[in-house]
Amino acid sequence: MEEFTERQQQIIRESIELIAEKGIQGLTMKNLSGAIGISEPAIYRHFKNKNEIILGVLSVLKDASTKGLGQMSTALDAFSSVKIFFAELTDRFVEMPSLTAVIFSVEMFNNEGLLSAVMERMEENQKMLISVLMAGQRDGSIRNDISVRQLAILMTGSFRLLVTRWRIMNYKFDLKDEVNQLLATLQLVTKS
């Protein structure tokens, strides 16, 4: 996570659990203080408001994708980079399943401040995937008869659907295994 104090990290983790259980509306200072066992004013010493807490929650995902981006530069080929990126996100979701309810929540798009943060993250990830796929097209490892923009949407959309299905099914299947199968299929589709 970004540079958060231990108490801020606790608030973020508990916020993720509350949002997963009760939705964004369930993340109230009253509910949060009760879950953590501190007073509401004590929470305000660590975060200015609810939006700042949710931005902290989003930083958890940002850290996972940033780690994946850093490792991508060491990959041997374009699709290996794609696998590294999605593996980092998958690891974060397996480590903290309730994060999926937050990240893929439609409620996130109803808040203007949060919408811009979510959209910024989505755009960064799409640009990165497009860049990697373009490099793969240049070196001949990725088909060049398909738009890289459409390939990136296909990859992220498939991943999102799989993770959403995992959450809806109460985390009953091995997400890592399913993501690996998905990526193997996407590699077959995109291989030149």
Side-chain angles (χ1 to χ4, degrees):
M1 263 193 264
E2 284 182 18
E3 296 297 320
F4 291 112
T5 66
E6 189 174 317
R7 179 62 85 180
Q8 286 175 315
Q9 289 178 29
Q10 180 188 22
I11 292 168
I12 289 169
R13 283 190 306 273
E14 200 57 50
S15 296
I16 291 168
E17 295 301 322
L18 278 172
I19 294 168
E21 183 182 327
K22 300 179 180 189
I24 295 283
Q25 285 74 25
L27 178 62
T28 64
M29 292 304 176
K30 180 179 180 178
N31 288 343
L32 189 54
S33 69
I36 296 173
I38 62 174
S39 68
E40 291 178 45
I43 293 172
Y44 286 111
R45 285 195 292 271
H46 300 283
F47 290 98
K48 292 177 189 171
N49 54 40
K50 180 176 163 177
N51 278 1
E52 194 172 278
I53 293 170
I54 295 172
L55 291 173
V57 168
L58 292 175
S59 77
V60 172
L61 182 65
K62 180 179 180 181
D63 288 350
S65 60
T66 300
K67 184 177 177 186
L69 291 174
Q71 292 179 353
M72 287 175 62
S73 61
T74 62
L76 300 174
D77 60 64
F79 211 85
S80 292
S81 293
V82 169
K83 286 180 180 178
I84 289 169
F85 176 73
F86 285 110
E88 283 300 324
L89 291 176
T90 302
D91 287 346
R92 184 54 59 107
F93 291 147
V94 168
E95 174 186 311
M96 198 180 308
S98 50
L99 185 60
T100 62
V102 177
I103 300 304
F104 299 138
S105 168
V106 175
E107 295 170 319
M108 294 292 277
F109 298 102
N110 294 333
N111 180 306
E112 194 63 39
L114 299 178
L115 177 61
S116 64
V118 171
M119 292 301 295
E120 181 181 321
R121 172 71 11 216
M122 288 172 64
E123 285 300 312
E124 285 177 28
N125 289 344
Q126 285 299 101
K127 284 180 185 176
M128 176 278 311
L129 273 177
I130 288 168
S131 173
V132 167
L133 294 169
M134 285 175 72
Q137 283 185 335
R138 284 192 300 276
D139 72 19
S141 64
I142 302 280
R143 291 173 55 169
N144 62 9
D145 61 337
I146 302 175
S147 158
V148 289
R149 188 170 311 285
Q150 294 304 311
L151 286 175
I153 290 170
L154 177 68
M155 289 176 179
T156 55
S158 299
F159 178 76
R160 180 180 175 150
L161 178 62
L162 183 59
V163 172
T164 301
R165 187 173 149 258
W166 179 64
R167 180 176 47 108
I168 290 169
M169 294 178 70
N170 203 23
Y171 319 110
K172 296 283 189 221
F173 60 86
D174 184 337
L175 182 62
K176 289 183 182 184
D177 183 55
E178 290 289 325
V179 168
N180 286 336
Q181 289 180 50
L182 172 65
L183 291 171
T185 300
L186 289 170
Q187 187 170 19
L188 285 174
V189 170
T190 60
K191 193 174 183 179
S192 69

